[in-house]
Amino acid sequence: MISIPKLKNTDSTSFFLMAGPCAIEGRDMALRIAEHIVTVTDRLRIPYIFKGSYRKANRTKIDSFTGIGDEKALKILQEVSQTFGIPTVTDIHESHEAAFAAEYVDVLQIPAFLCRQTELLAAAARTGKAVNVKKGQFLSGASMKFAAEKINEVNPDAPVILTDRGNSFGYGDLVVDYRNLPEMAAFGVPVVMDCTHSLQQPNQTSGVTGGKPKLIETIAKAAIAVGADGLFIETHFNPAEAKSDGANMLPLDQLEGLLERLVRVREAIL
């Protein structure tokens, strides 16, 4: 289990969960989603980290939603943490963002496209926060040892998490290679399966990323079966109205049943 302040239920044998909306769209939505997930994960004794991007930097079109303002969104993440006593995670995109975001959240996330950016990894490590690195769609699990080494070279005490989010399959699809999970686990760090982004269908001609959310449960069950320590799931009350990544998000009302089934899978393999 990763060592993160405020992480509850760490004495559980369950997987841990990073979940929340793709982007922080507002205070009320963030608090409502967090409250729902906290209630479910406390009942199931699942260690939980609230996820929300304070800004979306990687967008297909110039007029795509990018955020409500950096400081405003980060303060909402901080309020979620204080209100429910849980850790939070958000992604950063440039080196100068690391120290700024670290003032508000507990885990800094490195997006998949940026997982080789040495200065970004080093800046995250210097904050002393846990660092979750998404595996690039263009990389093998084995090659992610260099990302972990960069972080630990700068700060040997920085907790590192490695997350798989699928590999590019042609120009407009992704496929999950489950060999990546044990390969990354061999580096002695917790490994996570991103069950929603791995179902994206990027580079659509419409300029809006597609997805296959009906397969979220399939991806999650398989990940638990091969030994994932954690799961990453983006969720929203109404994905069709989400301002980012709605095409591959899980409807919030489906999360509880999914987690109940995943807990049973986890119990079966221990």
Side-chain angles (χ1 to χ4, degrees), residues 97 134 137 163 223:
E97 297 176 34
K134 293 280 194 79
Q137 300 92 320
T163 296

Side-chain angles (χ1 to χ4, degrees), residues 80-132:
V80 166
S81 178
Q82 294 171 344
T83 301
F84 301 105
I86 56 174
T88 57
V89 56
T90 198
D91 33 2
I92 59 173
H93 317 92
E94 298 185 53
S95 303
H96 67 83
E97 297 176 34
F100 175 51
E103 296 179 17
Y104 299 91
V105 301
D106 305 282
V107 182
L108 298 176
Q109 182 168 285
I110 309 300
F113 284 128
L114 303 177
C115 68
R116 285 171 51 89
Q117 297 299 103
T118 301
E119 284 303 315
L120 182 60
L121 292 165
R126 282 192 289 268
T127 68
K129 300 287 185 174
V131 184
N132 178 35

Side-chain angles (χ1 to χ4, degrees), residues 151-173:
I151 293 168
N152 289 144
E153 179 69 24
V154 174
N155 183 357
D157 297 322
V160 177
I161 307 167
L162 297 179
T163 296
D164 189 12
R165 50 98 75 233
N167 282 84
S168 296
F169 187 69
Y171 289 116
D173 208 354

